[in-house]
Amino acid sequence: MEHYFQEEIECADSRTLRKIQDEKLVKQVKHVWDNVEYYRKKMEEKGLTPDDIKGIDDLHKLPFLSKADLREAYPYGLVGKPLKDCVRIQSTSGTTGKRVVAFYTQHDLDLWEDCCARAICAAGGTNEDVCQVSYGYGLFTGGPGLNGGSHKVGCLTIPTSSGNTERQIMFIRDLNATILCCTPSYAAYIGETMKEMGLTPDQIPLKAGIFGAEAWSEEMRQDIQKTLGIKAYDIYGLTELSGPGVAFECSEQNGMHINEDHFYAEIIDPDTGEVLPEGTQGELVFTSLDKEAFPLLRYRTRDICTLTRKKCSCGRTHVRMTKPKGRTDDMLIIRGVNVFPSQIETVLLNNGYAANYQIIVDRVNNTDTFEVKVEMTPEMFTDNIGEIENRQRALTDGLKAMLGIKAKVSLVAPKSITRSEGKAVRVIDNRKI
């Protein structure tokens, strides 16, 4: 039995949905023009006024916003409401330079929490559930977003934040938590720790997990599902648009439904900026249709994915996005070849390794060096040099087949790669370019 949080809109027919989007876009462009000088100037440079935007069909005329614009306009240049109407900020971890600071009115927070509530219901959550939110709280959007969504659904909410894994497991067991929300790498770590404690999946009350904030492969999903005995759902979002809940998986676990009454998605060619036809892979671009405090139009996410409107068995009609294949910016270019960490993860999991690895890239004598450190699982741990060499060779071959270039593989002892209890640090790029 499929659960919906706002069935009428989640299952609306395409005509109804388009009417909502057209009306919201016209209103939003006017709001941005009147209140966000930074973007108004961009529109003026293109010779546009709000009268040129009559609905979604005119969206392509509007200028893009990028991470560079957010840096340039930091901190208040893209705020669309007086600060006395703003009630909160959230911020990114600042992994790519200056932090992104996003602003929210109370109305923005309500809509964001609605989106997260939809995601929890899609994972089977109801007011009978106990939802443990083990995403970081504070400036990071994961904790506050899912916390608010969980309240809206009426779940008993356990705001553990991340870290202190023994306590996490104590709460899961003592309070009978049924839904776990955290990053996939932390879910894998919790699963690993439970296994070490001698707990089998049937001794854990969890039934579902909502995992996002970093790229994870289908193989990693299967791994987590097996260790924790749950169904693992993907959730997508970015601070710039509000946080998690921009899109989420349903029971089909085949692409994430975008909450397109709030966020309109386009796929563009990352090089030319041209909008691509549906079903084509390209860069995902989002327009916030009703954000008041931080109303971004045509924001380039850098995520590479595909959109589909194929009918979904869950009954939701909103467009689905595939799991991002990587980003145009966390993509590594090594010796001229595009390498995504998710490709490496797939090879490891297919060969029976856990997704605990680190990619180390450097440049020696003008040539890129490429090493992948991989943890052995406790079961396969050995100090037999010959066996280790054979395994390293097998992984080197597997990676070469997947990536087209050769990596040096180093197998290391279990637990010797630093664990991050939030986002895993997968890549160390020492090249001075």
Side-chain angles (χ1 to χ4, degrees), residues 282-324:
E283 183 184 343
L284 185 58
V285 170
F286 273 116
T287 293
S288 291
L289 294 172
D290 44 21
K291 281 282 293 286
E292 297 177 333
F294 206 61
L296 299 188
L297 301 177
R298 300 199 84 202
Y299 180 68
R300 296 185 61 161
T301 66
R302 297 282 174 214
D303 281 322
I304 300 292
C305 72
T306 311
L307 299 180
T308 174
R309 287 202 177 273
K310 279 200 188 91
K311 200 165 162 24
C312 186
S313 64
C314 78
R316 290 176 182 80
T317 50
H318 293 204
V319 69
R320 275 177 292 169
M321 58 180 274
T322 56
K323 190 185 263 301

Side-chain angles (χ1 to χ4, degrees), residues 253-273:
Q253 290 176 300
N254 182 22
M256 290 172 275
H257 290 281
I258 293 169
N259 283 308
E260 51 173 346
D261 53 326
H262 300 304
F263 307 103
Y264 189 83
E266 303 169 276
I267 294 285
I268 63 162
D269 178 319
D271 299 325
T272 66

Side-chain angles (χ1 to χ4, degrees), residues 59-103:
L59 185 63
H60 68 97
K61 298 176 184 173
L62 289 168
F64 292 115
L65 280 169
S66 68
K67 204 68 160 258
D69 290 304
L70 268 61
R71 284 197 199 109
E72 198 179 314
Y74 173 91
Y76 293 129
L78 289 165
V79 178
K81 281 283 190 184
L83 290 185
K84 68 177 172 55
D85 296 337
C86 298
V87 296
R88 191 189 305 166
I89 68 145
Q90 299 285 164
S91 174
T92 57
S93 50
T95 40
T96 50
K98 201 179 268 182
R99 284 174 172 270
V100 169
V101 175
F103 295 76

Side-chain angles (χ1 to χ4, degrees), residues 139-373:
L139 290 169
F140 177 58
T141 53
L146 270 305
N147 190 86
S150 174
H151 280 213
K152 286 222 166 165
V153 174
C155 304
L156 175 62
T157 309
I158 312 176
T160 46
S161 195
S162 63
N164 201 335
T165 307
E166 275 72 25
R167 189 180 64 190
Q168 300 272 1
I169 294 167
M170 181 193 82
F171 276 133
I172 289 171
R173 299 185 71 206
D174 294 355
L175 298 174
N176 278 326
T178 49
I179 299 171
L180 174 67
C181 307
C182 60
T183 59
S185 57
Y186 193 43
Y189 184 60
I190 289 174
E192 211 177 284
T193 310
M194 284 187 178
K195 207 165 156 186
E196 279 168 14
M197 291 165 70
L199 290 171
T200 57
D202 54 2
Q203 293 172 293
I204 302 164
L206 294 173
K207 64 175 191 188
I210 298 173
F211 307 132
E214 59 189 10
W216 53 309
S217 60
E218 198 45 53
E219 289 80 5
M220 188 169 179
R221 184 210 304 266
Q222 300 305 335
D223 219 35
I224 292 171
Q225 292 192 149
K226 208 163 71 215
T227 317
L228 291 174
I230 60 172
K231 203 162 168 179
Y233 296 83
D234 206 347
I235 188 167
Y236 174 88
L238 32 152
T239 307
E240 296 89 324
L241 295 172
S242 64
V246 171
F248 58 86
E249 270 185 335
C250 61
S251 51
E252 217 176 79
Q253 290 176 300
N254 182 22
M256 290 172 275
H257 290 281
I258 293 169
N259 283 308
E260 51 173 346
D261 53 326
H262 300 304
F263 307 103
Y264 189 83
E266 303 169 276
I267 294 285
I268 63 162
D269 178 319
D271 299 325
T272 66
E274 176 198 356
V275 179
L276 298 172
E278 192 177 300
T280 316
Q281 181 173 288
E283 183 184 343
L284 185 58
V285 170
F286 273 116
T287 293
S288 291
L289 294 172
D290 44 21
K291 281 282 293 286
E292 297 177 333
F294 206 61
L296 299 188
L297 301 177
R298 300 199 84 202
Y299 180 68
R300 296 185 61 161
T301 66
R302 297 282 174 214
D303 281 322
I304 300 292
C305 72
T306 311
L307 299 180
T308 174
R309 287 202 177 273
K310 279 200 188 91
K311 200 165 162 24
C312 186
S313 64
C314 78
R316 290 176 182 80
T317 50
H318 293 204
V319 69
R320 275 177 292 169
M321 58 180 274
T322 56
K323 190 185 263 301
K325 183 182 176 315
R327 293 165 65 84
T328 55
D329 58 1
D330 86 352
M331 177 177 82
L332 288 160
I333 300 181
I334 303 171
R335 296 177 220 140
V337 175
N338 294 352
V339 172
F340 290 104
S342 55
Q343 293 172 302
I344 291 171
E345 198 170 285
T346 298
V347 172
L348 298 184
L349 288 157
N350 283 343
N351 281 280
Y353 295 84
N356 296 317
Y357 63 96
Q358 209 159 44
I359 302 162
I360 301 159
V361 190
D362 209 337
R363 183 158 286 179
V364 179
N365 301 332
N366 297 322
T367 304
D368 292 338
T369 62
F370 174 27
E371 181 183 1
V372 183
K373 280 188 175 174

